Amino acid sequence: MSNYFRGKKPIGIFDSGIGGLTVLKEILNVMPWEDTVYLGDTARVPYGTKSVETVTRYSFENARFLLKFDIKLLVVACNTASAYCLRQLQQELPIPVIGVIEPGARKAVEVTKTKRIGVIGTEGTIRSNAYVDAIMRIYGNGKTMIAEHGDKHFDRYFEITSGDVVIFTKACPLFVPLSEEGWTNNDVARLTVEHYLKGLKSNRIDTLILGCTHYPLLKDVIQKVMGENVALIDSGRETAADAAKCLMDRGIIGISSSKQGSHRFFVTDSPDRFKQVGSKFMTANVDNVELINVEKAE
Amino acid sequence: MSNYFRGKKPIGIFDSGIGGLTVLKEILNVMPWEDTVYLGDTARVPYGTKSVETVTRYSFENARFLLKFDIKLLVVACNTASAYCLRQLQQELPIPVIGVIEPGARKAVEVTKTKRIGVIGTEGTIRSNAYVDAIMRIYGNGKTMIAEHGDKHFDRYFEITSGDVVIFTKACPLFVPLSEEGWTNNDVARLTVEHYLKGLKSNRIDTLILGCTHYPLLKDVIQKVMGENVALIDSGRETAADAAKCLMDRGIIGISSSKQGSHRFFVTDSPDRFKQVGSKFMTANVDNVELINVEKAE
């Protein structure tokens, strides 16, 4: 098959739920002509508190479902899944697979001046140390010192020193329910952000990776709490740029100045809630949502 | 089989996750001699935002798993599952099945003086109107007027008038993540409770049903916000009393002044998190936790 026809195939994207729509939104900003198939595993959300084995099993079920649409690229728009099983997906699937961790880590390394980087995400993403590993790989430093503070599970907060880089990470489990509730700029949101980011702020980071696809919705209040001098890295935006580059390099990007891509959405639980909450995330209507069962999809 | 031997069988309890442990705790307060088998469906939690079909399917999978332990009674310690499929479970299972809705509703009707009752719970429980239906059945009033205020999905708040009873309901989606985070008595908890309960307070309810098994953890701050004159109904505590009565009526209660029951716990995802968070809920160590896959358990 020629690259021309390969280029016409859709991009597949999956997330544990609704959050990945912020990634899809960025993909469409960069490549509005591309067709997409989005799968939100809303029956099994959240992934952030689940184990590596469970998240890996779910991710492969999701990927298998999307492969049936003859996708040319798979975007794992879920930080937890990217952290737990991106390598495995890349090794076992017949198409290129992109996660959200590497692009965010790369951008952070690019913009930090003081080399004091913060990472926030779900419990799973933070516990996995995936962003730390990715940053370390970029700097290519072998030496890593990990100092762990606080209660390991409920006030996780690591200080990781390698060469002259220091990384502070913090799990913020309430950010996802806050953004799904639409409380993204009220006093509860502000207070919650202050509680979680206190340690990162007092450690004077100059760059903060939003390591969960929900977090861009809280961007304004996070920026206010951290101050204007801290650069916020939206992993979703960086992932979209990476996806475009990946398709370009392979000659299978579907560039068209006239065509608007068509978009299908699949969920594993009620489409109603996905449409309603999803419209906030995409800041556009999310229609064409179909209910499926990935467990029985094979 | 004689009732003596039937009495020796364990009680089965399932919940979408950790919350049901507050119900188990109340059961052991009343009947410390009983053996129990608890299943927390932690791989698929939460149920509160999922559809009736999905929650029903999950509940039957959970019930089938527990039946293998030859249980004498099934307690559905999850408000959403009780709201969606208790009748179906009662019809199709060969043992008595108790949910958490009826007992809470009955107690509320018993203690209210002004007949202005509030109900809080997850999105699913509130949308199902299960507590309202249960209260109506108790009063035996045919006439029901439902006035709906606010946005149906994100600021749900119903006023239901039947005869001289008025019921106000409100979904509080952030209460579950707050209690799992252990933020049960800080400023974020207080502010969140104030936001959610403002409407119920200004409507001068005198009784408030905590229609989610997580909510007893927020009891102190809820009581503070609502004031000392509002009676809080802990559905779990009422359910435990009902369970004892059910076993007593059937002559299969295992009363013993010396024996301490033994307790097994099963989860569908990582036992580690269940043990840690669970210990807060039981205010005792939760050990003996095994990982299982209910989807493949048949």
Side-chain angles (χ1 to χ4, degrees):
Chain A
M1 198 195 299
S2 78
N3 279 353
Y4 174 76
F5 287 109
R6 271 195 203 102
K8 288 185 154 316
K9 294 178 176 185
I11 299 172
I13 300 146
F14 82 78
D15 180 41
S16 57
I18 298 171
L21 290 178
T22 63
V23 182
L24 175 61
K25 186 184 164 189
E26 298 295 342
I27 289 176
L28 299 185
N29 270 344
V30 187
M31 303 176 279
W33 53 76
E34 293 289 343
D35 296 335
T36 63
V37 188
Y38 182 99
L39 169 60
D41 192 9
T42 48
R44 305 189 291 195
V45 71
Y47 285 6
T49 51
K50 295 185 176 113
S51 67
V52 177
E53 294 70 28
T54 299
V55 170
T56 303
R57 181 159 57 88
Y58 289 177
S59 298
F60 272 89
E61 285 173 356
N62 297 339
R64 269 194 292 270
F65 174 79
L66 288 170
L67 282 175
K68 287 190 290 188
F69 294 87
D70 199 21
I71 54 175
K72 61 182 172 185
L73 168 72
L74 175 65
V75 178
V76 181
C78 168
N79 278 274
T80 310
S82 297
Y84 286 176
C85 58
L86 182 68
R87 290 280 164 280
Q88 251 177 286
L89 287 166
Q90 285 172 332
Q91 280 160 10
E92 297 183 28
L93 300 192
I95 51 164
V97 183
I98 285 183
V100 284
I101 308 264
E102 298 279 345
R106 210 173 322 116
K107 185 72 179 180
V109 169
E110 212 179 291
V111 305
T112 184
K113 289 185 190 96
T114 62
K115 293 194 178 172
R116 298 179 77 81
I117 300 172
V119 182
I120 53 177
T122 64
E123 293 182 61
T125 302
I126 295 305
R127 189 169 38 223
S128 75
N129 268 342
Y131 276 99
V132 176
D133 293 345
I135 294 171
M136 289 305 154
R137 272 197 302 276
I138 295 165
Y139 279 112
N141 282 325
K143 202 185 90 206
T144 302
M145 193 273 282
I146 304 195
E148 209 177 308
H149 305 273
D151 180 299
K152 192 170 174 182
H153 289 277
F154 300 107
D155 192 14
R156 212 166 300 110
Y157 155 53
F158 302 103
E159 179 183 334
I160 293 154
T161 316
S162 175
D164 53 354
V165 195
V166 194
I167 308 168
F168 302 89
T169 76
K170 180 84 176 105
C172 308
L174 280 170
F175 283 3
V176 167
L178 269 177
S179 25
E180 297 209 351
E181 183 69 333
W183 289 11
T184 50
N185 220 346
N186 70 359
D187 45 359
V188 175
R190 192 185 39 75
L191 212 54
T192 304
V193 169
E194 280 173 7
H195 270 277
Y196 280 133
L197 303 191
K198 204 160 36 188
L200 300 182
K201 200 177 170 178
S202 68
N203 275 299
R204 293 165 290 109
I205 57 167
D206 79 338
T207 303
L208 178 60
I209 299 176
L210 308 181
C212 171
T213 51
H214 279 76
Y215 295 4
L217 276 91
L218 289 161
K219 215 168 182 173
D220 289 350
V221 59
I222 291 173
Q223 189 78 69
K224 231 173 273 172
V225 168
M226 293 306 292
E228 287 305 318
N229 293 330
V230 172
L232 303 189
I233 307 297
D234 178 344
S235 284
R237 180 169 299 176
E238 305 312 321
T239 302
D242 254 45
K245 191 175 173 305
C246 167
L247 294 178
M248 195 83 90
D249 288 351
R250 286 173 168 74
I252 53 172
I253 194 162
I255 293 182
S256 158
S257 57
S258 55
K259 186 190 163 228
Q260 279 288 322
S262 71
H263 312 293
R264 295 183 71 177
F265 300 93
F266 293 90
V267 288
T268 54
D269 196 10
S270 164
D272 292 343
R273 189 170 189 277
F274 186 84
K275 283 182 202 165
Q276 276 141 12
V277 184
S279 300
K280 290 185 208 166
F281 281 57
M282 289 287 285
T283 46
N285 272 341
V286 174
D287 295 318
N288 201 4
V289 183
E290 294 164 60
L291 177 66
I292 51 115
N293 183 341
V294 287
E295 291 161 55
K296 293 181 182 165
E298 288 175 71
Chain B
M1 197 197 297
S2 78
N3 279 351
Y4 174 77
F5 286 108
R6 273 198 202 100
K8 289 186 154 313
K9 295 178 175 183
I11 299 172
I13 299 146
F14 82 78
D15 180 40
S16 57
I18 299 170
L21 290 177
T22 62
V23 181
L24 175 61
K25 186 184 166 193
E26 298 294 343
I27 289 175
L28 299 184
N29 270 345
V30 187
M31 304 176 280
W33 53 77
E34 293 289 344
D35 296 336
T36 63
V37 188
Y38 182 99
L39 169 60
D41 191 9
T42 48
R44 305 190 290 193
V45 73
Y47 284 7
T49 50
K50 294 183 177 115
S51 67
V52 177
E53 295 69 32
T54 299
V55 170
T56 303
R57 180 159 59 89
Y58 289 177
S59 298
F60 271 89
E61 285 173 355
N62 297 339
R64 270 193 292 271
F65 174 80
L66 288 170
L67 281 175
K68 288 190 288 189
F69 294 87
D70 200 19
I71 54 175
K72 60 182 173 184
L73 169 72
L74 175 65
V75 178
V76 181
C78 169
N79 278 273
T80 310
S82 297
Y84 286 177
C85 57
L86 182 67
R87 291 281 164 281
Q88 251 177 287
L89 288 165
Q90 284 172 331
Q91 280 160 10
E92 297 182 26
L93 300 191
I95 52 163
V97 184
I98 285 182
V100 284
I101 307 263
E102 299 278 345
R106 211 176 318 117
K107 185 70 177 180
V109 169
E110 213 177 290
V111 305
T112 184
K113 289 185 191 98
T114 62
K115 294 193 178 172
R116 298 178 76 81
I117 301 172
V119 183
I120 54 176
T122 63
E123 293 182 59
T125 302
I126 295 306
R127 190 168 37 223
S128 75
N129 268 342
Y131 276 99
V132 176
D133 292 345
I135 294 171
M136 289 303 153
R137 272 197 300 278
I138 296 164
Y139 278 113
N141 283 325
K143 203 187 88 202
T144 301
M145 195 274 283
I146 304 192
E148 210 177 307
H149 305 273
D151 179 299
K152 193 171 174 183
H153 290 276
F154 299 106
D155 191 15
R156 213 166 299 111
Y157 155 54
F158 301 102
E159 179 183 335
I160 293 154
T161 317
S162 175
D164 52 352
V165 195
V166 194
I167 308 168
F168 302 90
T169 76
K170 180 84 176 104
C172 308
L174 280 169
F175 283 4
V176 167
L178 269 176
S179 23
E180 297 209 350
E181 183 68 335
W183 289 11
T184 51
N185 219 346
N186 69 358
D187 45 359
V188 176
R190 192 185 41 75
L191 212 53
T192 304
V193 170
E194 279 173 6
H195 271 278
Y196 281 132
L197 303 190
K198 204 161 33 186
L200 300 182
K201 199 174 172 185
S202 67
N203 275 298
R204 293 164 291 109
I205 57 167
D206 79 336
T207 304
L208 177 61
I209 299 176
L210 309 179
C212 171
T213 51
H214 280 74
Y215 295 4
L217 277 91
L218 290 161
K219 216 168 180 172
D220 288 350
V221 59
I222 292 173
Q223 189 78 69
K224 230 173 273 171
V225 168
M226 293 305 293
E228 288 306 319
N229 293 328
V230 172
L232 302 188
I233 308 297
D234 178 343
S235 283
R237 181 170 299 175
E238 306 311 322
T239 302
D242 254 45
K245 192 176 172 303
C246 168
L247 294 178
M248 194 82 89
D249 287 350
R250 286 172 167 75
I252 53 173
I253 194 161
I255 293 182
S256 158
S257 57
S258 55
K259 185 189 164 230
Q260 280 286 324
S262 72
H263 311 293
R264 294 183 71 177
F265 300 93
F266 294 90
V267 288
T268 53
D269 196 11
S270 165
D272 292 343
R273 189 169 190 276
F274 186 85
K275 283 182 203 165
Q276 277 142 12
V277 184
S279 301
K280 289 186 210 168
F281 281 58
M282 289 287 286
T283 47
N285 273 341
V286 174
D287 295 318
N288 200 6
V289 183
E290 295 165 59
L291 176 65
I292 51 117
N293 183 342
V294 286
E295 292 160 57
K296 293 181 183 166
E298 288 175 71

